[in-house]
Amino acid sequence: ARYALNLLLDQDYRLLLLRRSDAAKLGAGQWGLPAGKIEPGETPEAAAEREMDEEIGPKHEVELTRYVGPIRDSFYGGQFEIHLFQRSWTGGSVELNHEHTAFAWVGQDSIREYDVMLGIEEDIAILGFWPVDCLNPERLPATYRES
C-alpha cells in the first residue's frame, strides 16, 4: 500500500494531530495526521490534498514547504510506501470528519504526552523540523536514537 501523509505546522511550529476514532482499523484512539492511501492512478500530491479535504475539511489554507518520498516504513515491515508532505498552515479552520474525534496543535515540548501512531516520530525526524531529542527515542528507528 502507498500512503500520503500531511504534516501541517502553524506559525508557532506546532503540528496538527487528529485523534482517530475508536472504530478505526489502524491506530484506533491514537493521534495521527491528515493522511491516507494513495488510490490507483492517483499521484501522491493529489492523494495528500484529497485526504486533507476529507479529514480536516476544505476551509484550510496551506503551503507546501517540503516533500520527501517515496520512502519505506520502518515499523510495519517495510510494506508501506510513504510520501511526506510538510506544509505551513496559513489560515482557515479544521472541520473533522467521522474518522476523527478531536484535533490538537501540538508543540515539540508536548508531543511525548500524546499517544501518536507508530511511525509519526520517525516522520518528524525525517523532515527534521523539530530536534530529535524532543521525540520518544523508543519509538524511533535505531538510526535516530542518541547513543
Side-chain angles (χ1 to χ4, degrees):
R2 301 168 63 218
Y3 287 89
L5 289 72
N6 292 288
L7 291 91
L8 307 175
L9 297 165
D10 71 3
Q11 68 277 2
D12 296 322
Y13 252 56
R14 295 177 304 170
L15 178 66
L16 179 63
L17 293 180
L18 309 178
R19 188 180 181 282
R20 298 183 53 79
S21 93
D22 291 334
K25 291 180 184 175
L26 184 64
Q30 292 184 303
W31 292 86
L33 304 167
K37 284 186 180 178
I38 301 170
E39 301 296 336
E42 188 175 40
T43 65
E45 175 73 22
E49 290 177 9
R50 176 182 51 76
E51 289 292 343
M52 276 191 298
D53 285 349
E54 289 176 3
E55 296 185 1
I56 65 169
K59 297 179 182 175
H60 59 271
E61 299 166 20
V62 296
E63 292 178 6
L64 181 64
T65 54
R66 185 148 185 236
Y67 165 75
V68 174
I71 57 175
R72 286 284 165 187
D73 72 89
S74 295
F75 292 102
Y76 301 97
Q79 64 181 320
F80 301 125
E81 178 184 290
I82 307 295
H83 297 262
L84 303 175
F85 294 87
Q86 180 180 330
R87 301 177 191 272
S88 294
W89 182 271
T90 58
S93 62
V94 175
E95 299 172 12
L96 296 176
N97 69 358
H98 67 280
E99 297 176 26
H100 302 94
T101 60
F103 73 92
W105 289 100
V106 178
Q108 67 182 19
D109 57 338
S110 60
I111 186 70
R112 287 190 190 197
E113 298 169 20
Y114 288 78
D115 180 19
V116 297
M117 295 177 65
L118 191 58
I120 289 181
E121 288 102 336
E122 180 180 16
D123 299 335
I124 293 168
I126 289 168
L127 290 171
F129 54 81
W130 289 344
V132 173
D133 63 1
C134 75
L135 305 171
N136 182 342
E138 295 177 11
R139 295 177 55 91
L140 288 170
T143 56
Y144 291 101
R145 294 184 196 146
E146 295 179 353
S147 48

